[in-house]
């Protein structure tokens, strides 16, 4: 029988989120409000051969989907090459990325040719001024052109992430719905998650996805069934809309029961949960091709430590200062 990563709660892991860099050029208020701060030592992010080895090990143990994230993954000069290499790994069926979209207009066609199959773009508001306020960058038009370009070059569906923020975008549902009426976009509202570096931000801006969920159901939106390598979103469709709505509600009971993903940071640490502790170092086993068996064994043994769920309800954010550090 083929190998399969599995934890003590019989959850199987089909989905790897691989961070390529911690660096970002945006300053989202909920993530890096002061922008990326370089430490004293320049971090050394995973090289192309290291990425190849880690992805191969995951693919040999049942992973079928890899998401490239960060920081901002498209800041890597070798980003297209990374896509090509991940896509060429036997067993990998989907290569996805999460991006702030600043480079999409220019490069999305090239990424698609290299093998990118799925794209998630962050867009917290359809109001350019609000977008600027939240991201610290006046690049709304550039990101919107990037989304249109992705649809033009043939991505059959683009996913757009909006972090729900009280008093900022949580009342903009009608505008968002209008925007997806004739666009094959899955608009995903993500509940704000508390991270270590947040002070009063969370209490001030957290808005529950439940209200939105009820509003959608009242307007005739219906739930879709989930596939084994899907992300955590509850997806809704409506016969009058070409687009779909996804809700990601990490504070809801049972959110962790269907967890199917693992994370590897840009410096090669396995993270069992977005809100876990410091991670299992894999890097020493990524230096040569002949260490695949030891690598797979270390990952499987790390999985034995995976808890049944996160402890966000108790205000325990683990060791994650912000999501740019681990690839949200
Ligand atoms: N830079 C890329 C981007 O913004 O899409 C990829 C990395 S970013 C950390 C991945 C996703 O995490 C983005 O959609 C972002 O909006 C989301 N995110 C960041 N911090 C968050 C938080 N505290 N709560 C919920 N979502 C968050
Ligand atoms: Fe950068 Fe993405 Fe974090 Fe915004 S959410 S600061 S774009 S890493």
């Amino acid at each position: 029988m083929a190998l399969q990563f599995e934890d003590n709660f019989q959850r199987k892991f089909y989905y790897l989120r691989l961070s390529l860099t911690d660096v970002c050029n945006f300053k989202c208020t909920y993530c890096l409000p002061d922008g990326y701060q370089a430490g004293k030592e320049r971090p050394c992010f995973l090289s192309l051969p290291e990425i190849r080895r880690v992805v191969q090990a995951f693919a040999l143990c049942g992973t079928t989907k890899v998401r490239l994230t960060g920081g901002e993954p498209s800041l890597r000069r070798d980003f297209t090459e990374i896509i090509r290499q991940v896509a060429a790994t036997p067993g990998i069926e989907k290569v996805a990325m999460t991006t702030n979209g600043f480079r999409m207009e220019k490069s999305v066609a090239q990424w698609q040719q290299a093998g990118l199959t799925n794209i998630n773009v962050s867009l917290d508001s359809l109001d350019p001024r609000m977008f600027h306020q939240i991201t610290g960058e006046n690049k709304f038009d550039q990101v919107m052109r990037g989304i249109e370009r992705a649809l033009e070059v043939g991505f059959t569906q683009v996913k757009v992430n909006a972090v729900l923020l009280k008093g900022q975008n949580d009342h903009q549902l009608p505008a968002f719905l209008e925007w997806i009426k004739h666009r094959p976009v899955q608009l995903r509202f993500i509940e704000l998650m508390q991270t270590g570096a947040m002070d009063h931000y969370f209490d001030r801006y957290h808005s529950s996805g439940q209200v939105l969920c009820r509003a959608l159901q009242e307007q005739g939106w219906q739930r879709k069934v989930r596939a084994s390598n899907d992300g955590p979103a509850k997806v809704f469709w409506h016969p009058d809309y070409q687009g779909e709505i996804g809700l990601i509600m990490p504070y809801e009971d049972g959110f962790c029961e269907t967890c199917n993903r693992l994370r590897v940071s840009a410096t090669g640490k396995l993270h069992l949960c977005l809100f876990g502790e410091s991670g299992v170092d894999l890097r020493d086993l990524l230096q040569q091709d002949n260490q695949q068996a030891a690598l797979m064994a270390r990952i499987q043994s790390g999985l034995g430590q995976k808890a049944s769920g996160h402890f966000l309800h108790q205000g325990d954010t683990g060791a994650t200062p912000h999501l740019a550090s681990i690839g949200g």
Side-chain angles (χ1 to χ4, degrees), residues 3-197:
L3 294 169
Q4 173 70 60
F5 285 142
E6 188 174 338
D7 71 3
N8 295 339
F9 304 93
Q10 287 76 52
R11 289 176 298 194
K12 294 182 170 47
F13 296 89
Y14 301 101
Y15 180 3
L16 168 66
R17 300 178 72 116
L18 178 63
S19 178
L20 301 180
T21 176
D22 291 354
V23 181
C24 188
N25 54 341
F26 278 28
K27 303 181 199 67
C28 301
T29 50
Y30 48 77
C31 184
L32 295 174
D34 303 318
Y36 173 73
Q37 306 289 316
K40 275 195 212 109
E41 273 178 50
R42 212 165 150 232
C44 176
F45 300 124
L46 292 177
S47 66
L48 211 51
E50 288 174 316
I51 291 172
R52 172 170 56 75
R53 293 182 189 116
V54 79
V55 171
Q56 269 171 358
F58 273 87
L60 283 169
C61 293
T63 294
T64 56
K65 173 173 173 181
V66 177
R67 174 171 303 283
L68 305 172
T69 179
E72 177 46 41
S74 66
L75 286 173
R76 286 262 316 225
R77 291 216 184 105
D78 53 357
F79 184 58
T80 305
E81 207 34 56
I82 294 172
I83 296 174
R84 201 183 318 281
Q85 184 180 269
V86 174
T89 311
I92 299 302
E93 295 161 11
K94 289 187 183 176
V95 185
M97 77 181 290
T98 305
T99 175
N100 63 27
F102 90 103
R103 187 158 275 168
M104 266 172 62
E105 184 186 14
K106 208 169 127 204
S107 306
V108 74
Q110 187 185 325
W111 298 338
Q112 189 191 37
Q113 277 159 17
L116 190 73
T117 57
N118 297 70
I119 195 155
N120 288 28
V121 193
S122 297
L123 183 81
D124 293 321
S125 177
L126 287 171
D127 169 2
R129 267 186 311 179
M130 177 70 72
F131 176 93
H132 190 170
Q133 203 175 314
I134 298 173
T135 61
E137 288 293 325
N138 190 10
K139 292 198 163 70
F140 176 81
D141 290 337
Q142 190 175 324
V143 174
M144 289 298 265
R145 287 196 304 270
I147 294 172
E148 299 302 339
R149 181 80 188 119
L151 294 171
E152 227 172 75
V153 302
F155 280 89
T156 48
Q157 192 188 57
V158 173
K159 291 183 180 167
V160 170
N161 291 350
V163 178
L164 260 182
L165 297 170
K166 198 193 293 174
Q168 300 216 301
N169 62 9
D170 62 342
H171 55 280
Q172 294 178 344
L173 184 63
F176 276 119
L177 290 182
E178 187 54 36
W179 186 61
I180 62 165
K181 190 141 198 176
H182 303 293
R183 264 189 197 81
V185 161
Q186 187 188 100
L187 182 63
R188 299 137 55 89
F189 292 103
I190 309 176
E191 252 185 47
L192 179 66
M193 293 174 250
Q194 187 161 20
T195 54

